[in-house]
Amino acid sequence: MSGDEELAKDLGPLAALTIGIGTMIGAGIFVLPGEAITRAGSFAIISFVLGGGIALFTALSASELGTAMPRSGGAYFYVNEALGPLFGSIAGWANWLGLAFASAFYMVGFGEYVVAIAGLPDGFVVASVTVPWIKFIGLLAATLFVLVNYIGAKETGRLQNVIVVVLVLILSVFTVYGATRATPANIPGSKGLTPMLETTGLIFVSYLGFVQITSVAEEIKEPGKNLPRAIIGSVVIVTLIYALVLVVMSAAVEPGFIQTQSEANNIAVVEVARLLMGPIGAGAMLFGGLLATASSANASIMASSRINFAMGRDRIVTPNLNEIHERFGTPYRSIALTGSFILLFIVAAPINTLASIGSFLHLVIYGLLNIALVVMREADAIDYEPSFTVPLYPFTPIVGGLLSFALIYYIEPVPRLVGGVSCCSPRSGISPTPGPRPRSKAC
Amino acid sequence: MTDDSSASLLSHLLVPVATEKDARETAVALAMYDPERVTVVHVVEKGGGVPDKTPVEQSESVAEAAFDAFRERFPEAETEMVYSRDVVEGIVDVAAEMGASAIAFQPRKGGRLEQFLAGDRTLRLVTDADRPVITLPGRSG
């Protein structure tokens, strides 16, 4: 049987790493830098580094929890084990809806890229209602990616690895080329600490991917070694890429350029590339933006069905949600429901609100993850034997938890409110059934 | 052992099943032919370097449910769970490993579109197998 168990684990270190990078890189670099620089000036760079720092603390905690409990469901499962069903439900719903909000955000970003490529006007009129093209295309694209996951096309996963490599290449060329044009004199002034922290809250949606690696922990080869490497590695790599791209965007063009482009509703990163490298640069960035937002959404839709499975296992949602399609072999109901959330959110909220709510919900999970780690350590559970342990315990998880919760304070009030309602209220509708929880302990 | 050419076609059947419903229907269809020995197999489709469609734990519970349903008719049936990137390849390999006399299965119905999207496994199994393949009638749909 152990031979079979080994065969079930066929995700190598690179595949695990690209799940994290692929989910994260889409949003951060291709949609938000313009907004971030406009809001925070040169401190936008610090916003991205700070975001990466907060993510790194939680990444360390997630790595330890992941190697101790390589079970499907990731973050939700750890919080549920350590803090019980109330916080487990909060983490589960926050993770699920957080991914749906983030996917909606990615898809609107995808819409922006298509509109920029096709040179479409702002909107079109149907029955005297103006439909914005960006959202319309976002809806179409979301439907497409939900369908792709619904029928379970294996090819998309393989494509994901290629996409991540292409993206890293495009951004490397951009960074290296941009660096030759950079002068410190171009860097805009800062706008102070508070805008910087608020910007960190907005852009934190760029650091949501690493926790999704834990949701496929049971499929990773030698998880004791590869899981921490993939989680921590993906956070470090994307933080580095974000920081370098932001430095180039600030230093290689004249001050005010980004703000002008943002106000003209142009995509900042594309316009910077156009200025530096001509139409080829702009083309590569447009292409990269499409790939990046698509891969983020695709990975998130997959991850949310894993969370649903774990929630169904613990009866936080009905297990019927996880029924597998007779022919496609996919958890089609879960994918369809997540898909309808995504479509609803695209229609309901502007892009920055989607990003902020996605950030908020994930910060809640990250905070809880850090607490879960402390609880597991202090409770001294017999079967808690992580092969990776966080350095500087208890300092690391405590700081990670405090930073995560503190950043929530700086997220704009409206999304914070909506996020709070959406992660806490559904529980009242679906009451967790008490009773024996069917759980086959891994032996 | 059963590779002997004189052995009956039904001496040791390998029966691939997917879900609980599929396993139950297949068992009903097979029962009237009274095979000597039956091994029921569930192939978990692996992503091959990319995440699976379903968590491993869920795949395993689906397999268990399918085996239980099959055993309602064939309490003696042996079971085998296999991980493979390709379901058809997995079935063919297991059949060779255990020296099955034949592979017996019930083709699934489905519209053109579904068949196109999921790939026509019936055709592939029939053409790729290196031993007799028996298709069982009576799929209720």
Side-chain angles (χ1 to χ4, degrees), chain A residues 266-333:
Chain A
N266 290 330
I267 304 169
V269 72
V270 174
E271 297 313 317
V272 173
R274 191 192 309 279
L275 193 74
L276 295 177
M277 296 184 275
I280 296 176
M285 278 300 175
L286 285 170
F287 179 62
L290 282 184
L291 290 184
T293 47
S295 86
S296 293
N298 199 41
S300 304
I301 294 167
M302 188 279 295
S304 59
S305 72
R306 296 301 167 95
I307 294 156
N308 279 175
F309 169 71
M311 289 167 82
R313 187 174 57 196
D314 297 336
R315 314 275 159 170
I316 284 177
V317 296
T318 163
N320 292 336
L321 187 60
N322 300 312
E323 191 173 293
I324 291 177
H325 194 279
E326 278 267 315
R327 185 168 279 264
F328 300 138
T330 52
Y332 64 106
R333 289 179 180 166

Side-chain angles (χ1 to χ4, degrees), chain A residues 5-66:
Chain A
E5 288 287 310
E6 283 312 302
L7 289 174
K9 297 183 185 299
D10 66 347
L11 287 182
L14 185 68
L17 189 69
T18 54
I19 293 167
I21 298 181
T23 316
M24 287 189 270
I25 211 164
I29 223 56
F30 288 97
V31 184
L32 290 173
E35 180 81 20
I37 292 174
T38 305
R39 286 192 187 194
S42 62
F43 275 14
I45 302 166
I46 302 176
S47 291
F48 274 90
V49 175
L50 180 66
I54 295 175
L56 188 60
F57 278 103
T58 307
L60 290 165
S61 294
S63 297
E64 174 172 327
L65 291 164

Side-chain angles (χ1 to χ4, degrees), chain A residues 1 4-5 7-12 15-16 19 71-72 151-154 157-159 161 216 218-219 302 305-306 309 313 322-331 335 439-440, chain B residues 18-22 45-62 80-83 85-86 107-111 113-115 117-121 139:
Chain A
M1 202 61 210
D4 275 359
E5 288 287 310
L7 289 174
K9 297 183 185 299
D10 66 347
L11 287 182
I19 293 167
R71 293 282 302 273
S72 197
I151 64 169
K154 271 195 292 186
R158 235 158 275 161
L159 211 55
N161 293 348
V216 294
E218 55 177 6
E219 288 170 48
M302 188 279 295
S305 72
R306 296 301 167 95
F309 169 71
R313 187 174 57 196
N322 300 312
E323 191 173 293
I324 291 177
H325 194 279
E326 278 267 315
R327 185 168 279 264
F328 300 138
T330 52
I335 289 168
R439 188 179 287 163
S440 54
Chain B
T19 57
E20 189 179 335
K21 179 165 167 273
D22 176 46
E45 189 178 7
K46 292 299 297 173
V50 300
D52 299 347
K53 294 173 186 173
T54 46
V56 179
E57 201 179 320
Q58 187 174 19
S59 310
E60 285 171 357
S61 71
V62 167
E80 187 86 40
M81 189 169 157
V82 174
Y83 298 92
R85 286 185 191 193
D86 183 308
R108 291 200 227 166
K109 284 190 180 157
L113 182 67
E114 264 197 350
Q115 203 129 39
L117 292 172
D120 192 346
R121 289 190 182 141
R139 172 72 77 187

Side-chain angles (χ1 to χ4, degrees), chain B residues 55-110:
Chain B
V56 179
E57 201 179 320
Q58 187 174 19
S59 310
E60 285 171 357
S61 71
V62 167
E64 281 307 319
F67 293 159
D68 289 346
F70 195 85
R71 284 203 182 111
E72 287 167 10
R73 290 268 170 170
F74 293 91
E76 305 286 290
E78 292 150 62
T79 62
E80 187 86 40
M81 189 169 157
V82 174
Y83 298 92
S84 174
R85 286 185 191 193
D86 183 308
V87 174
V88 172
E89 237 177 72
I91 296 169
V92 173
D93 289 351
V94 177
E97 241 169 70
M98 53 185 256
S101 57
I103 299 166
F105 79 111
Q106 201 175 29
R108 291 200 227 166
K109 284 190 180 157

Side-chain angles (χ1 to χ4, degrees), chain A residues 108 117 120 139 144 159-160 220 277 328 368 389 391 394 396 410 442:
Chain A
V108 178
I117 289 172
L120 294 169
L139 287 170
L144 175 73
L159 211 55
Q160 183 96 343
I220 296 175
M277 296 184 275
F328 300 138
L368 290 175
T389 50
T396 310
Y410 289 99

